[in-house]
Amino acid sequence: MEALELLGLDMDQTEILYNFQFLKTVEDIKNEKNPTLKEEKTKWLNEWQNGIELVFSETYQDYIIEWVKDEEELKNWISIKEVESNSIWLDLVILETYVFEPYYPLDTSNKKSKLKYNSKNSWLEEFIVSNFMSKELYSEMKKTYKKSFRKITKKKNFYINTALAGIGLALLFSGLGAVFAPQIAVALFGSQFSGLYGVALTNAVLAYIGGGAIAAGGFGVAGGTMVIAGGGALLGLNIGMMSSSTFVLVKKVLVNPTQNIILCSKLLTVVKVFVLNKNNDIELAKTFYNEFNNSISNLDNLDYETELDMDKKNQKDLKKSLVQMKNTKEELKKFISSYEVGITKM
């Protein structure tokens, strides 16, 4: 579980993550010239905030999440948060914010959205490079993440828009009303959803997981971890979890090919850019590799029909995701081997 916890964010770090995503959306709305679209984007942001606020208040006994007024306030907040020299929590927050695209559906009836995030907006990069990360490291993060899709699929110029992935979440859950029953939501995401029902529960779940990081509750991660970031959820797959109701989450979010490839791309980026190139931590990279390999082995050893009661379509999806994960494993192995070769030449 050590590797999984290292990719976890505690309450304060998670609150900072959602404030990064909040400001990213605010900046997009500021630059929206169409009054009607600006109004609709603002409405989406308010609904998204409501969903996130519900998660925090249910998780931490009526805790009220703070929303910063501007980037200066967020910068000051981070400055008083202790960041150890080899810590990657802020790197994870930056990666998740970079990948995050707002305006995905926040209810299962709204499966399409005409709202589009302007990907040419340079606010995030300017803010990050000016305060938290070198331009070289930020550029490497972006480049590695985008290239990962092609390496994982073995297809040239392959890329998945995360906004489309967000729409996919609503489509996945639209036929699974049971997922949003409180008792199932608790099994999947943790006790923070135990007091929510109906529309409020649906909004909170979609706002929470649509942001990119995966709630830690379903993985039994201790030590105050609220969410798993950087693709770390793929390190937590084990036989016990998959044979329980929690596999509904695994099947519908983690090993669905669209969601799976985004998580795999994040994991590759974390290991190459932050663990190896930034922190020079070859042992941690190997730990992530071994944990990921164990997840693949556990999936490979499952009987899809008897142990998981999966229909043919779900079996096909899981097999496709497994191929993606195995390709990801090979890329991780290449990263580690190349790094080791570089060390021996020094």
Side-chain angles (χ1 to χ4, degrees):
M1 192 66 72
E2 177 187 358
L4 192 58
E5 291 175 354
L6 288 171
L7 293 177
L9 301 177
D10 62 23
M11 184 191 75
D12 289 340
Q13 294 162 352
T14 303
E15 194 167 3
I16 287 171
L17 166 64
Y18 287 121
N19 269 279
F20 264 105
Q21 296 179 349
F22 168 71
L23 286 183
K24 181 176 180 178
T25 310
V26 167
E27 288 298 318
D28 181 70
I29 294 172
K30 282 182 183 177
N31 291 292
E32 177 56 64
K33 296 179 180 179
N34 184 307
T36 301
L37 293 179
K38 184 186 284 282
E39 183 179 348
E40 291 182 8
K41 285 184 174 183
T42 302
K43 180 181 178 182
W44 182 93
L45 178 60
N46 291 335
E47 291 177 355
W48 179 81
Q49 286 181 274
N50 289 338
I52 299 300
E53 288 168 2
L54 279 170
V55 173
F56 273 86
S57 65
E58 292 295 326
T59 305
Y60 298 106
Q61 298 181 339
D62 299 324
Y63 179 85
I64 300 176
I65 182 174
E66 294 184 28
W67 298 106
V68 296
K69 296 182 180 67
D70 51 39
E71 59 189 57
E72 191 65 27
E73 190 173 338
L74 180 57
K75 185 174 71 173
N76 292 336
W77 186 359
I78 294 171
S79 69
I80 62 176
K81 180 80 175 173
E82 183 177 356
V83 181
E84 299 176 4
S85 58
N86 287 333
S87 172
I88 62 171
W89 77 263
L90 187 55
D91 299 321
L92 294 174
V93 166
I94 291 170
L95 173 61
E96 292 290 350
T97 305
Y98 166 70
V99 174
F100 171 76
E101 288 195 23
Y103 315 126
Y104 55 85
L106 294 176
D107 63 75
T108 55
S109 62
N110 179 22
K111 299 170 188 176
K112 292 184 179 180
S113 175
K114 61 183 177 181
L115 302 177
K116 304 295 182 183
Y117 171 75
N118 181 8
S119 59
K120 294 181 180 180
N121 191 322
S122 61
W123 171 82
L124 180 64
E125 180 168 354
E126 292 171 1
F127 180 45
I128 297 301
V129 170
S130 299
N131 298 284
F132 309 112
M133 185 181 285
S134 70
K135 186 174 181 63
E136 293 74 21
L137 191 66
Y138 189 83
S139 297
E140 185 186 4
M141 178 195 75
K142 292 197 304 179
K143 182 179 179 181
T144 302
Y145 178 76
K146 289 180 178 179
K147 279 190 172 182
S148 293
F149 289 93
R150 299 194 292 273
K151 294 179 181 295
I152 294 168
T153 60
K154 307 296 185 184
K155 295 179 181 178
K156 191 175 182 180
N157 299 323
F158 186 90
Y159 183 74
I160 287 181
N161 184 296
T162 52
L164 294 177
I167 293 173
L169 285 173
L171 289 170
L172 285 170
F173 287 124
S174 62
L176 286 174
V179 169
F180 296 118
Q183 66 272 23
I184 301 297
V186 170
L188 302 186
F189 305 102
S191 59
Q192 59 262 52
F193 293 97
S194 60
L196 302 178
Y197 299 86
V199 175
L201 178 62
T202 301
N203 176 264
V205 169
L206 285 173
Y208 199 36
I209 62 176
I214 301 296
F219 292 89
V221 181
T225 301
M226 187 173 182
V227 299
I228 307 297
L234 293 177
L235 304 179
L237 308 184
N238 58 68
I239 299 295
M241 186 181 83
M242 288 179 226
S243 60
S244 69
S245 61
T246 307
F247 190 73
V248 177
L249 170 66
V250 178
K251 186 169 63 177
K252 292 297 175 185
V253 180
L254 300 185
V255 298
N256 171 269
T258 303
Q259 305 301 324
N260 174 274
I261 194 171
I262 292 174
L263 291 170
C264 287
S265 297
K266 288 179 184 178
L267 185 62
L268 283 175
T269 304
V270 168
V271 173
K272 181 183 180 182
V273 180
F274 303 135
V275 176
L276 289 174
N277 294 353
K278 178 192 172 188
N279 288 347
N280 304 310
D281 195 338
I282 186 70
E283 293 305 317
L284 180 56
K286 289 180 178 179
T287 298
F288 284 157
Y289 174 85
N290 290 333
E291 289 291 326
F292 188 60
N293 188 44
N294 287 340
S295 289
I296 293 172
S297 297
N298 288 336
L299 282 171
D300 258 338
N301 291 330
L302 287 172
D303 187 314
Y304 299 157
E305 291 187 18
T306 58
E307 290 186 79
L308 301 178
D309 191 26
M310 296 175 68
D311 60 27
K312 290 184 178 180
K313 183 184 183 306
N314 284 329
Q315 291 180 41
K316 183 178 179 180
D317 283 347
L318 183 52
K319 288 176 181 177
K320 184 176 180 179
S321 292
L322 263 172
V323 171
Q324 293 176 171
M325 291 173 72
K326 289 174 181 178
N327 290 341
T328 300
K329 185 183 77 169
E330 292 307 308
E331 288 301 316
L332 286 172
K333 189 175 181 179
K334 289 178 185 177
F335 289 164
I336 294 170
S337 298
S338 297
Y339 187 84
E340 289 180 314
V341 170
I343 292 177
T344 59
K345 290 182 179 180
M346 292 176 64

